Amino acid sequence: MESRGETPLTMEVKTSSSVDEQPTIKYRGIKAMPYILGNETFEKLGAMGTASNLFVFLMQFFKLKHITAIKVMSVFGGTANFAPLFGAFLSDSYFGRYKTIGFASICSLLGMAMLTLTATIDKLHPPSCQMGGVATCVGPSSMQLTFLFASFGFLIIGAGGIRPCNLAFGADQFNPNTESGKRGISSFINWYNFTFTLALMVSVTLLVHIQSNVSWSIGLGIPTCLMLVSIVIFFMGSKIYVKVKPEGSPLTSVAQVLVAAIRNRRLKLPEDDAHLRLYNYLPLNSIISILPYTEDLRFLNKAAILTSEDQINIDGSPTNPWKLCSIQQVEEVKCVMRVLPIWASAILYHVAINQQASFGVLQALQADRHVRNGGYEIPSASFAVFQMISLTVWIPIYDRIVVPLLHKFTGREGGLTLLQRMGVGLFLTTVALFVSAMTEEYRKQLAPKNTNGPTISSMSAFWLVPQLAITGLAEGFNSVGQMEFYYQQLPENMRSVAGAFYFCGMATASYVDGLLVSLVHEKTKGGSGDWLAEDLNKGKLEYYFYLVAALGVFNFVYFLVCAYWYRYKGDGENNVQLRTQSDKDFF
């Protein structure tokens, strides 16, 4: 028996040459698309129509102070963005995408219906404010808040199941091994993005207008009905869907490597030709690209040390995957570990983006939102459309004009590397915050002085367009680049986790944003005045913008350091190409 400190053994294991026959799959890609895209469109209209004006709903209809509303939205947004990580795990491991989407859609419908009831039934929301201002407003009762938060809970469960599965489920309907199937997947992704943008545009314009100017009960009831239509369309196509069975989550493989490395921590790694002496295994029918062996993060390599205690199945796989992992698995975990520092920089990026959805709305509420003197008054939440327009217009300009020009100077196919693209986005978010601070100073200069209660500044709310447009450009660089970065740099079998990485960054940012708002409010509400006063005219919101901008500068420097040391997947002088089952025996 080998002692735990000796050089590991080398073993040979015979493998089976037979490959299990795979059942024939009938792909109905084009025939399934009307059901899937119809479901996507109405689901997005329902979800976005509910969430886009929720911040204003909490303040104006539920009578929450804006600091409290920001905290509630931070927790709700953070939890809703963390939920897809668990949803992806449950879908991949137990239920499959079809059942997960179906169950999550019903939960979303229940959440929307309950939220609609809070606006419809008088006992489920606070009474209207009496004449005399904010001081006469009565806040929500414990029962009303409990019912409201219960509706949020169902919406979170719905988001956790729908977000990680809907795009992948649509792609499942096409054969990825044929040219027509690949074209179908590409076409579906384009239509998916189109419906997402369309739903967002309709939500922040038409639905927000109905909610703000007609009726909250009608404005929330319409998205609920649209969600019901979405569910009906989804189940109508059940007989023709390709329903991929769950085969296990890639997150399990990550956990196995970490556990095995810890259990083998006292073993010594081979000094020479480690890549030839560590355990390596890939299934015969695996289509995953082989990752080259790397020398960094060597501690994880101990998960692939084969000892006399380890047993190997006849197909070459380990009997106990929590004790022995292949070097391919180890390299996959290394890819995740290398991405994490870059991912961390996205937290403060999303914090900066969030300011436009919270304090940007508050700025609009206390600015002149009329299109003309005494004309139509634009709902405050609808100004987010300028951010979306900026993003939507910039992406084709960047793809068709900017990239070819940059290609002439850099020689790179994409013009800029993904990290350079993300860096530009980080820089632009900081610029947007400085512009927001200067706009807020100007808004306060034009606001009436010495008045009781919040008053409207004579500054046109269209002065907010520059900060929103710059924020949209930032998303065009960083958000798009960030998602592509995760997709390319994470292993192929972890691409379903790539979207979860992005959402987890947004989730963490929501919690950080709520904590930052609480700290600033608590530390500044005495003395010279609250930076985040209920009445922006009496506060110092511009100072808060400058603070977040300063954090953005620090984050930008941190990102540059991480980007300088980052090594793209498959690059590096110390890489050694691995040999696998096809050209060597098992150890």
Side-chain angles (χ1 to χ4, degrees), residues 459-522:
M459 184 196 83
S460 171
F462 286 98
W463 279 98
L464 300 174
V465 171
Q467 68 194 55
L468 293 169
I470 296 173
T471 302
L473 289 177
E475 290 185 288
F477 278 100
N478 190 286
S479 294
V480 177
Q482 194 182 149
M483 287 186 283
E484 188 174 350
F485 175 78
Y486 297 144
Y487 184 81
Q488 290 188 8
Q489 295 305 301
L490 291 176
E492 293 170 354
N493 62 328
M494 293 186 184
R495 284 176 176 171
S496 61
V497 182
F501 256 66
Y502 182 80
F503 284 122
C504 284
M506 294 177 63
T508 307
S510 294
Y511 293 129
V512 171
D513 190 21
L515 178 62
L516 186 61
V517 167
S518 297
L519 289 175
V520 171
H521 179 60
E522 290 298 323

Side-chain angles (χ1 to χ4, degrees), residues 273-289:
D273 296 328
H275 64 289
L276 299 177
R277 304 179 66 183
L278 294 174
Y279 172 72
N280 195 31
Y281 165 77
L282 274 181
L284 280 171
N285 58 353
S286 175
I287 60 173
I288 298 174
S289 300

Side-chain angles (χ1 to χ4, degrees), residues 366 442-449 455-459 537:
Q366 290 192 241
Y442 179 60
R443 190 199 63 79
K444 286 169 61 177
Q445 289 177 6
L446 299 182
K449 303 296 189 296
T455 55
I456 305 300
S457 170
S458 60
M459 184 196 83
N537 298 330

Side-chain angles (χ1 to χ4, degrees), residues 167-480:
L167 183 60
F169 182 72
D172 287 342
Q173 309 311 310
F174 297 91
N175 187 346
N177 299 316
T178 64
E179 289 300 320
S180 61
K182 293 177 181 178
R183 288 194 300 270
I185 293 175
S186 177
S187 177
F188 167 71
I189 292 175
N190 289 335
W191 278 103
Y192 176 89
N193 290 326
F194 173 78
T195 59
F196 180 84
T197 304
L198 175 65
L200 212 53
M201 292 284 191
V202 173
S203 298
V204 300
T205 52
L206 179 61
L207 292 179
V208 167
H209 166 75
I210 295 174
Q211 292 165 358
S212 300
N213 298 320
V214 179
S215 168
W216 278 105
S217 57
I218 296 175
L220 292 173
I222 291 175
T224 304
C225 294
L226 293 174
M227 190 67 207
L228 177 60
V229 173
S230 168
I231 294 174
V232 172
I233 294 176
F234 177 75
F235 285 115
M236 284 175 61
S238 296
K239 293 184 178 180
I240 65 173
Y241 292 148
V242 172
K243 303 167 187 175
V244 179
K245 294 182 179 181
E247 298 179 351
S249 171
L251 296 178
T252 303
S253 179
V254 174
Q256 289 172 343
V257 171
L258 296 177
V259 170
I262 293 173
R263 295 180 66 175
N264 295 341
R265 63 188 180 278
R266 291 190 174 89
L267 294 179
K268 293 181 181 179
L269 287 167
E271 297 294 337
D272 301 319
D273 296 328
H275 64 289
L276 299 177
R277 304 179 66 183
L278 294 174
Y279 172 72
N280 195 31
Y281 165 77
L282 274 181
L284 280 171
N285 58 353
S286 175
I287 60 173
I288 298 174
S289 300
I290 301 174
L291 295 175
Y293 172 79
T294 57
E295 291 289 345
D296 60 337
L297 301 172
R298 285 173 55 84
F299 171 77
L300 295 175
N301 292 349
K302 293 189 175 185
I305 295 179
L306 182 65
T307 70
S308 59
E309 299 175 1
D310 297 311
Q311 296 181 355
I312 306 298
N313 296 320
I314 192 171
D315 64 349
S317 63
T319 302
N320 183 2
W322 296 92
K323 175 63 175 62
L324 177 65
C325 301
S326 71
I327 193 63
Q328 172 75 9
Q329 287 178 277
V330 172
E331 291 301 328
E332 290 172 356
V333 175
K334 287 183 179 181
C335 289
V336 176
M337 300 295 285
R338 295 187 194 106
V339 165
L340 286 178
I342 301 295
W343 170 85
S345 69
I347 296 174
L348 286 179
Y349 160 77
H350 288 299
V351 168
I353 295 292
N354 290 346
Q355 305 313 309
Q356 305 304 330
S358 54
F359 289 110
V361 172
L362 294 177
Q363 286 179 294
L365 280 171
Q366 290 192 241
D368 182 6
R369 292 177 279 122
H370 292 91
V371 177
R372 296 178 181 177
N373 293 332
Y376 175 71
E377 186 177 39
I378 302 175
S380 57
S382 292
F383 278 87
V385 74
F386 293 106
Q387 184 173 328
M388 299 170 202
I389 291 174
S390 174
L391 171 62
T392 305
V393 171
W394 170 249
I395 288 178
I397 293 176
Y398 178 81
D399 187 56
R400 298 298 180 182
I401 300 176
V402 177
V403 168
L405 290 176
L406 290 173
H407 175 68
K408 295 180 180 179
F409 292 98
T410 65
R412 297 188 180 93
E413 189 66 28
L416 298 174
T417 66
L418 292 176
L419 290 177
Q420 288 171 342
R421 188 173 180 178
M422 292 166 64
V424 173
L426 286 176
F427 175 77
L428 288 176
T429 56
T430 304
V431 173
L433 287 168
F434 279 113
V435 173
S436 300
M438 291 185 286
T439 303
E440 175 60 14
E441 290 178 342
Y442 179 60
R443 190 199 63 79
K444 286 169 61 177
Q445 289 177 6
L446 299 182
K449 303 296 189 296
N450 301 321
T451 58
N452 294 323
T455 55
I456 305 300
S457 170
S458 60
M459 184 196 83
S460 171
F462 286 98
W463 279 98
L464 300 174
V465 171
Q467 68 194 55
L468 293 169
I470 296 173
T471 302
L473 289 177
E475 290 185 288
F477 278 100
N478 190 286
S479 294
V480 177

